[in-house]
Amino acid sequence: MASLSSSKPRNFGAYSYSYTPCTRTHQIGALFLVVSTFFVTRLFDQWSSESNSVTPSIDIHRTPSSGITIDNGVPQWPERGYGSHLSLKIYVYNENEIDGLKELMYGRDGSVKTAACLKGQWGSQVKIHKLLMESKFRTSKKEEADLFFVPAYVKCVRMLGGLNDKEINQTYVKVLSQMPYFRRSGGRDHIFVFPSGAGAHLFRSWSTFINRSIILTPEGDRTDKKDTTAFNTWKDIIIPGNVDDAMTKIGQPDVQPLPLSKRKYLANYLGRAQGKAGRLKLIDLSKQYPDKLECPDLKFSGTEKFGRTTYFEHLRNAKFCLAPRGESSWTLRFYESFFVECVPVLLSDHAELPFQNVIDYAQVSIKWPSSRIGSELLDYLASIPDTDIEGMIARGRKIRCLFVYGPDSAPCSAVKGILWELQRKARRFQQSTETFWLHNGSVVNRELVHFSSWRPPMPLP
């Protein structure tokens, strides 16, 4: 074996190479490379420190691209991932076909009225159900359905005392155990609406029974009060909050927007403190700058009660409507702002917004860090030219139809947007831990009973 200290060059066959001597030219080139690298590094460090300074320089000039695809006044969904047209079949469970559904809709004794549940920010649970019942994409045949909608008004029923938390949980489990198609897919093709900040947590056992199902909710984060959020970006769908019908109706809304020149305030916040840090900061800020920021003390009873009309008249009287988080990250005020043509300023870091494949929210709203609520925020808003504000309002006017719960026959509506998002969720094949299949395509359960013979109550996957 050759010695490691041998001066004789080793031969590596086809991979051998000859050494090139290092000349004066090579040395000068290497020195130039070192010096260039040093100066480029210094320039980069200087730029980086400036960009990360405590008081950043804010570029208030808007990019020319609108970021919103509009065709004949209608927002358009991208063909990639969605298809060129809606082609969807949804089965809506009838309240009489499943024991327990009526309780989830009207309470234990049937005393909760649908009209009462249509009101307020949770009315979307009723509206989506009613609009799907009238939809041309509804099918009466379960065997041809792509998706299944489970109607329930549990937020309203709970608020009105129709069911308590324990009863809601037990009733949901009873309902699900009677659905063969839910068991077949493990719930993957079943749709549930939870229209409040609590999200699916209204059903305490959601993580056991409907953790694979499609959840429609305005709330994308609930980790502040729960160990885990019930929202999953890849299977669930964010829906708009339910704005008062008097403001979204076609024609003349009850309260008309004001010209920018006639608005009294730079910004406003219309809401209660609720002990929340961001809201408390805004209320304190309004006391320091009462001519710029309006934060009225909202009364919900008595002679000074804020009625619907009074509320929207205040909301329209500012250029910017501030929307901080409350009990949860989503805020109805964000959606209401579009209908009085006030630019919404989102002050909720964890908020999720609907239809992000269609709406570029940076073109119609502002999101500001909740940790920087203070005079800096007001200074920034005051620096924005009215021409830019008018541009944001004009773009918001084009997309706000997606926040209106109208029929899918309309050119643009929240339900039509939801249907487009649901189309991405439809699967051709369904499976679950309790679903099996044979060589001839037959679907069977663990006891090899054919799907057509499954009878409730069934063990849930």
Side-chain angles (χ1 to χ4, degrees):
M1 184 174 70
S3 170
L4 292 175
S5 61
S6 173
S7 60
K8 184 179 180 180
R10 299 175 67 186
N11 185 7
F12 290 92
Y15 298 97
S16 63
Y17 58 91
S18 60
Y19 293 100
T20 301
C22 180
T23 66
R24 181 76 171 174
T25 302
H26 290 119
Q27 293 172 344
I28 293 173
L31 180 61
F32 176 76
L33 181 61
V34 170
V35 173
S36 300
T37 302
F38 173 77
F39 281 107
V40 169
T41 303
R42 288 293 299 273
L43 286 172
F44 177 80
D45 289 342
Q46 184 178 359
W47 172 83
S48 179
S49 63
E50 289 176 356
S51 64
N52 291 317
S53 61
V54 175
T55 307
S57 174
I58 301 172
D59 182 6
I60 62 172
H61 298 288
R62 180 162 295 282
T63 54
S65 173
S66 71
I68 302 169
T69 304
I70 304 289
D71 183 14
N72 294 323
V74 180
Q76 297 295 303
W77 260 254
E79 186 169 338
R80 185 181 67 180
Y82 290 91
S84 59
H85 63 282
L86 280 172
S87 177
L88 196 63
K89 293 182 179 180
I90 300 177
Y91 181 85
V92 181
Y93 283 101
N94 186 283
E95 63 186 50
N96 295 310
E97 72 174 291
I98 304 290
D99 183 24
L101 265 187
K102 280 189 173 181
E103 285 88 334
L104 293 177
M105 297 169 70
Y106 313 118
R108 68 181 74 85
D109 56 3
S111 61
V112 177
K113 305 302 180 185
T114 303
C117 294
L118 269 169
K119 299 176 181 179
Q121 59 180 306
W122 306 303
S124 55
Q125 59 191 344
V126 181
K127 290 182 177 180
I128 292 173
H129 175 212
K130 299 301 182 185
L131 290 167
L132 287 180
M133 290 286 287
E134 301 166 0
S135 174
K136 66 179 181 180
F137 299 103
R138 178 191 172 200
T139 179
S140 60
K141 299 177 181 179
K142 293 179 182 177
E143 62 272 15
E144 69 177 21
D146 299 303
L147 299 167
F148 297 80
F149 182 83
V150 183
Y153 311 152
V154 289
K155 177 60 180 181
C156 177
V157 168
R158 181 179 181 273
M159 293 291 290
L160 298 180
L163 291 175
N164 59 38
D165 290 343
K166 183 178 180 181
E167 289 171 326
I168 290 173
N169 202 73
Q170 292 173 338
T171 308
Y172 260 122
V173 173
K174 180 173 72 172
V175 165
L176 298 178
S177 69
Q178 299 172 68
M179 296 177 170
Y181 283 87
F182 182 89
R183 186 173 189 243
R184 182 190 68 168
S185 67
R188 291 172 175 86
D189 55 0
H190 280 57
I191 307 163
F192 298 82
V193 180
F194 294 99
S196 73
H201 290 288
L202 283 169
F203 174 21
R204 288 181 173 178
S205 298
W206 72 268
S207 60
T208 301
F209 298 108
I210 62 170
N211 63 325
R212 302 176 185 87
S213 300
I214 301 167
I215 295 172
L216 309 185
T217 178
E219 180 53 64
D221 179 78
R222 192 60 174 169
T223 54
D224 57 330
K225 289 192 173 182
K226 306 291 181 181
D227 292 335
T228 181
T229 179
F231 179 79
N232 183 306
T233 303
W234 304 109
K235 69 178 184 64
D236 301 328
I237 298 171
I238 292 290
I239 60 174
N242 179 45
V243 179
D244 195 292
D245 291 342
M247 294 301 298
T248 63
K249 63 186 178 183
I250 298 175
Q252 296 293 320
D254 282 11
V255 177
Q256 295 286 328
L258 290 174
L260 284 186
S261 59
K262 293 187 177 181
R263 302 189 189 189
K264 183 177 180 180
Y265 298 99
L266 172 68
N268 62 33
Y269 164 59
L270 300 184
R272 295 171 293 171
Q274 294 182 307
K276 303 301 177 184
R279 296 183 172 205
L280 291 169
K281 287 180 183 178
L282 290 176
I283 293 171
D284 182 60
L285 198 62
S286 70
K287 295 174 182 177
Q288 299 176 50
Y289 304 94
D291 57 329
K292 293 183 179 180
L293 175 60
E294 182 193 25
C295 290
D297 184 16
L298 297 190
K299 305 290 186 182
F300 293 93
S301 61
T303 56
E304 297 181 27
K305 177 183 178 181
F306 257 52
R308 179 192 67 202
T309 301
T310 304
Y311 172 83
F312 283 106
E313 285 175 345
H314 276 266
L315 199 66
R316 71 175 179 173
N317 206 21
K319 296 178 180 180
F320 300 96
C321 290
L322 309 185
R325 71 168 293 141
E327 289 294 334
S328 60
S329 65
W330 89 281
T331 165
L332 182 62
R333 202 165 294 102
F334 178 86
Y335 303 103
E336 292 173 333
S337 301
F338 286 96
F339 295 92
V340 293
E341 300 188 356
C342 172
V343 176
V345 180
L346 191 60
L347 301 172
S348 180
D349 301 350
H350 294 89
E352 292 278 347
L353 300 173
F355 313 136
Q356 293 183 29
N357 278 330
V358 175
I359 303 174
D360 179 353
Y361 284 96
Q363 303 295 324
V364 297
S365 65
I366 294 168
K367 184 181 180 184
W368 184 268
S370 61
S371 58
R372 301 186 79 107
I373 294 175
S375 60
E376 179 187 21
L377 169 60
L378 296 182
D379 290 342
Y380 164 65
L381 296 178
S383 72
I384 301 175
D386 280 359
T387 52
D388 284 3
I389 298 173
E390 293 281 12
M392 297 180 78
I393 290 172
R395 289 186 289 272
R397 201 179 291 131
K398 293 179 180 179
I399 57 90
R400 68 186 179 189
C401 54
L402 287 170
F403 305 150
V404 179
Y405 282 96
D408 58 58
S409 57
C412 174
S413 70
V415 166
K416 194 159 193 174
I418 291 169
L419 287 171
W420 274 109
E421 295 298 327
L422 286 172
Q423 182 152 287
R424 297 183 77 193
K425 313 295 182 181
R427 301 165 180 243
R428 181 176 181 180
F429 186 76
Q430 301 295 340
Q431 71 167 88
S432 77
T433 55
E434 295 299 323
T435 303
F436 305 86
W437 54 90
L438 307 180
H439 75 286
N440 58 1
S442 297
V443 175
V444 297
N445 63 13
R446 195 172 292 275
E447 287 71 41
L448 303 183
V449 176
H450 192 273
F451 175 70
S452 61
S453 299
W454 292 6
R455 297 291 180 266
M458 295 163 292
L460 293 171

